Amino acid sequence: VSKQTGKVWYSYPDPAQWAEEKIGGAWKNNLLSPIIVEYTNLSNYKSASKTVGLVDEGGYVEDFKTTASGFTATLVLPKGSFKIPVEVTLGDDYVETTIRDEGIVEAGAFSLLNAKLYPLFGGQFSQGQDGYIFIPDGSGALIRFKTGRILPQLTYNQPIYGNDGSFYLDNMARQRASVPVFGLKSGDQAFVAVVTEGPEHANVFAAPSGSIGLSNWVTTEWQYRQRFYQSVSKSTDAGFFTYGEQRFNSPRRTVRYYLLPPDQSDYVGMASRYRDYLSAEGVLKPVEQPKKDIPLYVDIVGGDIEQGLLLDSYLTATTTDEAKELVGSIYDRGIHNLVVQYNGWQQDGYSTQGGYFPVESRLGGNKGMKSFIDYAHTLDIPVFLTANYSVNNNGDDGFWYRRDGQRDLSGNTLEAGEDTW
């Protein structure tokens, strides 16, 4: 209960609307559970994973203890032989949930794949509600509340900070989730959640009304093992999906749910509260001596290779002397807060990755680049030589993809594109 507003926040579907819920089977019990887990038998690659809640597992709570600001407890799922210790803490304007990995017990034949702790927290039905789910898709996206959706299982499930190439990647038309934040608004009631500990092992999971039950809900799906494709032949695509045996461990996996006041219960209020959190944690710091001008980012392209029918040719876009002239002319017009990013400066230009130095001679070489950078620095302008240093497509500097390329868990060398590792 929020003492500021008197509003009640549930960690399960609103009891006033529960009679309207039409979902059946195990998921009806899952939506009432304080935790939903997925597990499988890793010793049998043909074994399907199982998604269950505390109710269907015949689960119970042990070692319940109150603390100065909340409680600790262990959630026991006997059919899977799991014990998962959790904490709940109340702050001035937030409630915080934590899984403590060091206390997790996997005592049987099954291995934990993922877990959702209090997944229905703040969830709301769509009827009569002006609301939306906020997901960190790129700079942020909203999933509006609707009724009568006809696409079941239309959920959002994306890893915070993007995919790990070691595992199987679903090529979905999604932007990379770059911030560990999600939220939900319903009328004049909203929360924004921040994954404060363990975000590198977390997905944001959102279920709009009609996808899994009639509630709109969003939560953290904590990853303990991930799927990958195990190849069994180098000459064919034969293989099977399986999971890594080693469990991802993070000392604490914590989500902090900030309960927003009515006048801030919207997307802007969510963003403002996250900004305040970053400032309070020292992540955002004020610039000690800010420049009076807004920054202007100047992207310069040096050159690139143009493919020809018989021979390729080099196209010069901006030499170092021309770059010096360009930056000087901008500066002379009174725009002094510049940041320069020089692309395509490497040997053979923008599309060539690997063996970057020396600077392409047709642009001015190392000597010309040093002269340009020294000139920019006299004007207090930083210069960044940009390139994709994580891939290689020319084999320079002794790179050999079989020896030096990044591999997935199946041992396959990862290709970034055509002839690029």
Side-chain angles (χ1 to χ4, degrees):
V1 178
S2 170
K3 292 184 178 180
Q4 293 178 333
T5 64
K7 291 184 179 295
V8 178
W9 295 79
Y10 298 100
S11 59
Y12 46 86
D14 187 346
Q17 303 272 1
W18 182 242
E20 304 299 322
E21 182 59 70
K22 296 180 175 60
I23 195 170
W27 266 107
K28 188 160 188 176
N29 286 330
N30 290 350
L31 297 180
L32 296 172
S33 296
I35 194 168
I36 300 174
V37 303
E38 183 181 7
Y39 62 80
T40 192
N41 185 348
L42 294 181
S43 64
N44 180 5
Y45 74 89
K46 294 182 179 180
S47 176
S49 65
K50 187 177 182 182
T51 300
V52 296
L54 198 70
V55 176
D56 266 8
E57 284 285 287
Y60 55 91
V61 178
E62 66 179 20
D63 298 330
F64 181 89
K65 297 177 182 178
T66 58
T67 64
S69 55
F71 68 85
T72 63
T74 299
L75 304 179
V76 182
L77 296 92
K79 293 181 182 179
S81 299
F82 299 114
K83 292 187 177 183
I84 303 176
V86 302
E87 294 178 8
V88 174
T89 303
L90 290 177
D92 291 337
D93 63 344
Y94 65 82
V95 58
E96 194 172 76
T97 66
T98 299
I99 295 177
R100 303 197 312 269
D101 278 11
E102 71 274 11
I104 290 178
V105 175
E106 296 175 299
F110 299 106
S111 297
L112 189 64
L113 301 182
N114 58 65
K116 303 179 185 73
L117 182 61
Y118 297 109
L120 269 288
F121 180 83
Q124 293 286 341
F125 286 77
S126 295
Q127 289 88 343
Q129 304 284 351
D130 175 22
Y132 48 75
I133 299 172
F134 159 63
I135 55 175
D137 189 64
S139 60
L142 303 180
I143 304 175
R144 300 280 178 179
F145 285 8
K146 291 183 179 180
T147 57
R149 277 192 173 93
I150 60 173
L151 294 175
Q153 304 300 320
L154 186 63
T155 59
Y156 173 90
N157 191 6
Q158 292 296 308
I160 296 172
Y161 306 139
N163 289 299
D164 185 337
S166 300
F167 303 94
Y168 177 75
L169 305 181
D170 290 316
N171 294 318
M172 300 180 66
R174 299 293 186 190
Q175 298 185 57
R176 177 175 173 266
S178 57
V179 290
V181 183
F182 57 91
L184 185 144
K185 164 188 164 59
S186 177
D188 62 350
Q189 182 174 335
F191 73 80
V192 60
V194 182
V195 183
T196 59
E197 296 178 274
E200 65 277 7
H201 298 310
N203 284 18
V204 173
F205 183 96
S209 173
S211 58
I212 303 179
L214 295 180
S215 296
N216 298 273
W217 50 283
V218 58
T219 188
T220 305
E221 182 179 271
W222 295 111
Q223 302 299 310
Y224 287 95
R225 293 174 176 89
Q226 286 187 254
R227 186 173 64 153
F228 70 96
Y229 188 74
Q230 178 62 62
S231 300
V232 296
S233 172
K234 292 184 178 180
S235 58
T236 68
D237 293 331
F240 57 90
F241 285 106
T242 186
Y243 295 86
E245 293 185 5
Q246 186 175 359
R247 191 178 76 198
F248 305 146
N249 284 315
S250 181
R252 293 170 59 85
R253 299 170 182 250
T254 301
V255 183
R256 182 176 295 181
Y257 297 86
Y258 286 100
L259 312 183
L260 304 178
D263 61 345
Q264 298 176 27
S265 290
D266 55 19
Y267 178 83
V268 176
M270 295 179 190
S272 298
R273 191 62 189 84
Y274 182 51
R275 178 196 59 206
D276 294 343
Y277 163 81
L278 294 176
S279 298
E281 295 296 316
V283 179
L284 289 181
K285 299 179 181 179
V287 178
E288 295 181 0
Q289 293 181 337
K291 296 182 179 180
K292 64 177 183 179
D293 301 325
I294 62 173
L296 174 64
Y297 289 85
V298 179
D299 288 318
I300 297 175
V301 178
D304 202 3
I305 293 293
E306 181 183 34
Q307 294 184 344
L309 182 61
L310 299 176
L311 297 174
D312 296 339
S313 59
Y314 182 84
L315 296 179
T316 301
T318 312
T319 66
T320 54
D321 286 339
E322 291 170 339
K324 184 186 300 184
E325 181 181 351
L326 172 65
V327 169
S329 66
I330 296 174
Y331 190 89
D332 291 342
R333 284 170 169 79
I335 303 175
H336 296 166
N337 191 4
L338 294 176
V339 177
V340 175
Q341 298 179 141
Y342 208 128
N343 305 274
W345 52 270
Q346 63 265 37
Q347 294 184 81
D348 294 333
Y350 182 86
S351 300
T352 303
Q353 311 296 337
Y356 298 101
F357 292 98
V359 176
E360 175 57 53
S361 60
R362 285 164 285 197
L363 299 179
N366 287 352
K367 183 177 179 180
M369 184 61 74
K370 184 178 185 305
S371 175
F372 166 63
I373 293 175
D374 288 343
Y375 169 74
H377 286 177
T378 63
L379 304 178
D380 195 25
I381 297 173
V383 178
F384 297 93
L385 301 183
T386 63
N388 190 345
Y389 299 100
S390 64
V391 298
N392 187 291
N393 62 2
N394 62 5
D396 280 7
D397 293 337
F399 177 88
W400 186 40
Y401 78 96
R402 291 186 179 275
R403 178 189 62 215
D404 305 313
Q406 181 184 356
R407 298 178 182 274
D408 61 19
L409 289 186
S410 185
N412 298 314
T413 305
L414 300 182
E415 298 185 21
E418 184 177 357
D419 298 327
T420 301
W421 291 273

